[in-house]
Amino acid sequence: RSSTRSTSTAGTHSSELAPSQGNQEPRPAIETDAGHPFGPSLLFLPNAGVVGPIPEDFDFQRHIVIPGAVTQLGLPLGTCIRRNVEIECFNEESIASTIDVMAMTVPWPPDADIGPPLKAPYFYTEDEIGELVGSQALCDSLGPFPPSLIRQIVAFRDKGKWDAELARQAEKERDKEADSSLRNKLLGTMKMQNPVRRIFGEAKEVVIPTVYLLNI
């Protein structure tokens, strides 16, 4: 950006100071309409809020972090979605402009300004998110959606599928344990009632297992 120069006339002020010539005393800095004093050949950067060029210790981080969502009671869900589509598009363009300036070689050009201040999106309630996750027809009727809402819906649906898969696997394990318990119970009926411990060199009365006698 470049500022337009204008010459002073009686009763008016120039938007910038002309450089001093010879032994003329330089005119003092003037107050602009934005409330920021300009010196010779200096430009005020409205988005960064500083006189150019941007200083090397400038805090870019707070200009690329999206503000927290705001709640506006009574605002219909469809209106929130439409407004958030515009807000996210605006914020993406602003962040891209700021990152472009960050990528420039330091020191930055005097007229290089960052993107405009970011806007806060509108908040979705848990019930509204639940309705969108559970109904594709509702999503189709209220779309298009901002990218962040699409990612949120997909994440909840994927989580629901994963939870259902975990529940299925847990049920399968419980059925497996039940089958194993029943099998062990059946095998227990085949055990001898009076098992004999064999000791080398010692002969005892041999007890015929009951299960064998029952099958004779």
Side-chain angles (χ1 to χ4, degrees), residues 61-72:
Q61 189 64 29
R62 67 188 184 93
H63 295 277
I64 59 177
V65 177
I66 304 296
V70 296
T71 302
Q72 187 167 342

Side-chain angles (χ1 to χ4, degrees), residues 161-180:
K161 293 178 182 179
W162 177 244
D163 290 343
E165 177 63 20
L166 291 179
R168 188 188 68 80
Q169 293 181 5
E171 182 67 22
K172 185 177 180 180
E173 287 296 326
R174 286 194 293 269
D175 293 343
K176 184 177 180 180
E177 291 177 359
D179 292 343
S180 177

Side-chain angles (χ1 to χ4, degrees), residues 142-155:
L142 295 177
F145 288 176
S148 62
L149 181 57
I150 294 176
R151 289 192 291 267
Q152 193 173 3
I153 293 174
V154 171

Side-chain angles (χ1 to χ4, degrees), residues 53-54 56 60 99-110 112:
I54 295 176
E56 296 185 12
F60 285 98
I99 292 177
D100 287 342
V101 174
M102 294 171 62
M104 293 180 181
T105 304
V106 179
W108 289 282

